[in-house]
Amino acid sequence: MTANTSAKRKPNWKKTITMGLFVLLIALLGWYVWQNREDMAQLLSLDAGTVALMLLFALGGCVMNCVYHRIILSPFKVPLGLTDWMGVVMVSNAMAYVLPLRADLVFSAAYYKKVKGLAYTKSVSIAAGNIVFGVTFSLLEILVALACCGLIDGQWPLPLWLILIAGLLFVTAFMVVALVLGDRQPAFVRKYRIVQEAIDGFVQLLRDRRMLLELLGCLIVNHCCHLLLYMVCFHAIGMEVTVYQALLYNSMSWLSSILTIVPGNIGIKEAAMGFATGLMGAMFQSGVMVSLLQRVTVMIVYIVAGAAFAWPVFRKMKLAGEQTEESHAHE
């Protein structure tokens, strides 16, 4: 047996652990829903107007996510049709519900490499840098929301403040490494490629002021859509929330989806929402119910739109692959 054969048969422990955790979280979430089935039953009896509003706001957020993606690709000067920016985002986000560890980003990078000739490093770098930008934006939203909760409602949830402070310290450290140290970056930055790519993408973003403003405007509209979606979801379960409370929950939910450990972060996002609502004086199951409503609504939009764009997206990848093979054959 050769070394290559043994390497191929070596088990992929990361994938095995991820899928095992996914099954466990699905089971725990299913058990929790069953234990609270009387409360969960009301989610199946929503009126048509509420469902329409939820789908409308979810669609708005999903479309703005596509526009955001279109903007971050603009520096590379590659021609993009509707399939290239909206179709790819819709398909990749639909895939994210079944693929772990942000495999959706890998798919997007593979598409642009094969169809547009865009190097993996370029698309991954700018995407990583924009994640830092999004995290910073969400942390500032949480800061505003928590300040309003404290000053207006007299609520000062210490764990949420500690999470916020930890997040701000992390972002500050990242900015020091990216913008201040320059060539004197720590060894771990050079050791881990993804860290260097995030730094390069973030610095590139800051240099393009026009793109930065466009992304900021897009991000504001996107978060407004999801904020309204959360307010409708809370109203649907009979719980009214203020705008700043919805802002807090929306930002916490977004942050909990950044590090995707299992497909769609199923169970993790629900637990984070339940944790946040519990600290704000509401019931844990209220956060879980709202998170499930929001998840299912957004998932419907991405799956329907992803199914509509699947054929043209995969067709363009297939044709690009055939053209590459033909060009190699003629060489």
Side-chain angles (χ1 to χ4, degrees), residues 2 27 35 84 166 177 234 246 249 255 267 306 316 318 324:
T2 64
Q35 291 295 314
D84 300 317
V177 172
F234 274 107
Y249 297 135
L255 284 178
K316 293 190 76 169
K318 181 181 179 181
T324 302

Side-chain angles (χ1 to χ4, degrees), residues 6-206:
S6 61
K8 290 181 180 179
R9 294 184 179 180
K10 186 178 181 180
N12 188 335
W13 291 112
K14 183 185 293 186
K15 184 176 180 180
T16 302
I17 293 172
T18 297
M19 293 312 297
L21 183 60
F22 176 61
V23 172
L24 176 62
L25 289 172
I26 285 286
L28 289 173
L29 183 61
W31 172 82
Y32 182 85
V33 170
W34 175 254
Q35 291 295 314
N36 297 273
R37 54 189 177 278
E38 293 182 1
D39 292 329
M40 300 294 174
Q42 64 178 296
L43 302 183
L44 302 177
S45 58
L46 300 178
D47 61 271
T50 299
V51 173
L53 269 180
M54 290 166 55
L55 290 173
L56 177 63
F57 292 137
L59 177 61
C62 293
V63 170
M64 291 311 299
N65 188 30
C66 296
V67 175
Y68 188 95
H69 194 81
R70 174 69 178 83
I71 294 172
I72 66 174
L73 289 172
S74 59
F76 303 120
K77 308 298 182 183
V78 292
L80 297 172
L82 189 66
T83 299
D84 300 317
W85 59 274
M86 180 174 284
V88 171
V89 173
M90 292 296 187
V91 171
S92 63
N93 275 275
M95 294 171 64
Y97 288 102
V98 294
L99 298 177
L101 301 175
R102 301 313 301 261
D104 54 309
L105 296 182
V106 176
F107 169 78
S108 298
Y111 176 91
Y112 294 118
K113 169 65 175 177
K114 182 173 290 188
V115 178
K116 298 297 179 179
L118 188 64
Y120 285 111
T121 52
K122 290 184 177 180
S123 55
V124 171
S125 175
I126 196 67
N130 275 275
I131 288 177
V132 177
F133 177 62
V135 168
T136 304
F137 184 82
S138 290
L139 288 173
L140 293 177
E141 285 185 323
I142 293 175
L143 176 61
V144 172
L146 284 177
C148 289
C149 289
L151 297 173
I152 298 173
D153 301 331
Q155 292 180 303
W156 302 91
L158 181 59
L160 293 183
W161 277 101
L162 291 176
I163 291 173
L164 172 64
I165 293 171
L168 291 175
L169 288 175
F170 171 80
V171 169
T172 301
F174 178 89
M175 290 185 177
V176 168
V177 172
L179 305 176
V180 178
L181 295 184
D183 296 332
R184 296 175 287 109
Q185 294 173 352
F188 75 88
V189 174
R190 297 186 295 272
K191 180 179 180 181
Y192 295 102
R193 182 178 175 182
I194 186 62
V195 179
Q196 186 62 59
E197 288 173 343
I199 290 175
D200 293 341
F202 185 70
V203 172
Q204 180 181 345
L205 172 63
L206 293 183

Side-chain angles (χ1 to χ4, degrees), residues 241-264:
V241 294
T242 62
V243 173
Y244 50 86
Q245 288 173 336
L247 181 65
L248 172 64
Y249 297 135
N250 175 53
S251 301
M252 290 292 296
S253 174
W254 190 88
L255 284 178
S256 70
S257 65
I258 292 299
L259 295 176
T260 305
I261 302 172
V262 298

